[in-house]
Amino acid sequence: MRKPPVVAVAALACLGVVTGCSGPATGSGGDTASHAASPSTRAEGGATSRAPAPPPDHEPVRYTPSWTDRTVRTARGHLVNTCVPKALRNKATTLTTSDKVHLSALVLGSGPNGVLLDHEQGYNICSFIDIGKKLAAEGYHVVIPEYRNHGASQKSADNEHIDRDARAGLAELRRVGAERVFVGGASCGGTTAAVAGADTRLPVTGLLMMSSPARCGGVDAVAAVRKIKVPTLVVASPGDMNGNIEKDAREVYAASVAKNKKLVIDPSGYHGTDMIRRGGASGVKLRSQVVKFIASSFSRPR
């Protein structure tokens, strides 16, 4: 059984998900810059229609990024993770949370159907970039925020209220014209996606939680899924975090009030998006399943 990356274990330990914290997690991540407008959006039937002009991009903000050695500034002036391909760096912008922490975020695609993708603690904004690009190409409006204390996002003494970072991503989707949203994430990103999705003003179409602990710091996904009735996909690998993640996934699944819910036990042994990015044939299959699940959530009657 493959073990999850050490950086993920360290990050979850710091948040109290597993025991024994040896210090802050390190890795790569990024802030974001202005996003280009797409002239049209794909309707559910596949036809394209003229999309309204997007609102102006956020102004760049001066702040110290969490991982200075893996951060660059875009032509627009936003900070972005060096892991983001140069061709996508103009899709970056800077979000500000309710407690005034500045986040890097990628805004991909356009249209009324929004998708929030929250990465794992200890990972970075590029964890979901491949899925985000595919969804954007298929007509969805995707926001991928980078958490505080990660990558090009701002350092913060408060790492307990990371649900505020997910809420900033949802606020951005609403600002740029999303009329309904799918919320998803990996590890603690899935936990925060559930919590943020439980009380957003936007109609939520579905929920994805990959290797997500039931509780992460001060964020409680079990309480959240008791309020979310939309289609829910919960994914975990046996043996991940000594079996604790599968145990939590089953707890979340049991607590979910969704009529359409599915629990997938992935055989790869990897954690979070590594199940897709490093899982070989099973990863390709899981990636396709995730994308199809997201798309199908929007095809259901409103």
Side-chain angles (χ1 to χ4, degrees):
M1 184 66 64
R2 298 178 179 85
K3 295 181 180 180
V6 173
V7 66
V9 178
L12 291 175
C14 290
L15 288 167
V17 179
V18 295
T19 59
C21 178
S22 59
T26 59
S28 68
D31 200 55
T32 45
S34 60
H35 50 280
S38 175
S40 62
T41 184
R42 182 177 299 177
E44 290 180 12
T48 57
S49 59
R50 183 65 55 180
D57 182 35
H58 298 287
E59 289 297 320
V61 180
R62 292 280 177 179
Y63 63 87
T64 301
S66 300
W67 301 339
T68 56
D69 61 330
R70 303 188 185 185
T71 301
V72 294
R73 191 173 298 279
T74 68
R76 177 76 171 85
H78 298 283
L79 298 180
V80 65
N81 194 321
T82 56
C83 73
V84 176
K86 291 182 179 179
L88 289 181
R89 291 179 186 176
N90 68 331
K91 306 294 184 182
T93 193
T94 305
L95 308 182
T96 303
T97 68
S98 60
D99 56 341
K100 308 304 180 184
V101 177
H102 302 302
L103 307 177
S104 154
L106 283 175
V107 182
L108 308 175
S110 63
N113 293 330
V115 179
L116 174 71
L117 297 173
D118 293 333
H119 68 79
E120 305 95 319
Q121 289 281 295
Y123 287 59
N124 60 55
I125 199 169
C126 291
S127 295
F128 273 112
I129 199 167
D130 289 339
I131 289 179
K133 285 166 57 180
K134 181 170 179 57
L135 290 170
E138 293 184 1
Y140 298 97
H141 215 149
V142 182
V143 168
I144 311 174
E146 191 155 57
Y147 278 124
R148 63 186 67 198
N149 298 320
H150 288 70
S153 290
Q154 189 174 15
K155 291 182 180 179
S156 171
D158 178 9
N159 207 39
E160 289 290 302
H161 299 97
I162 54 176
D163 54 309
R164 295 170 181 171
D165 301 352
R167 287 187 169 94
L170 285 175
E172 179 66 5
L173 278 168
R174 187 169 183 269
R175 188 187 80 88
V176 297
E179 297 173 1
R180 49 186 182 154
V181 294
F182 180 98
V183 293
S187 194
C188 287
T191 312
T192 61
V195 170
D199 62 8
T200 180
R201 288 183 287 175
L202 287 166
V204 176
T205 66
L207 168 66
L208 167 69
M209 298 178 67
M210 300 178 63
S211 304
S212 298
R215 298 163 191 87
C216 188
V219 183
D220 187 346
V222 173
V225 297
R226 289 176 177 152
K227 303 176 184 177
I228 300 177
K229 299 180 180 180
V230 296
T232 298
L233 177 61
V234 180
V235 187
S237 277
D240 187 1
M241 304 294 178
N242 296 317
N244 288 325
I245 292 297
E246 182 183 353
K247 180 181 177 181
D248 276 19
R250 292 187 182 277
E251 181 183 358
V252 168
Y253 180 78
S256 171
V257 296
K259 292 182 179 179
N260 180 2
K261 61 181 181 178
K262 186 171 184 178
L263 174 64
V264 174
I265 303 301
D266 178 78
S268 70
Y270 286 118
H271 183 76
T273 51
D274 280 346
M275 290 188 288
I276 290 174
R277 298 187 297 140
R278 301 173 62 190
S282 67
V284 173
K285 180 180 179 181
L286 180 59
R287 178 179 181 269
S288 176
Q289 185 175 10
V290 166
V291 171
K292 287 180 179 178
F293 181 78
I294 295 172
S296 68
S297 78
F298 287 102
S299 66
R300 297 174 65 86
R302 300 194 184 201

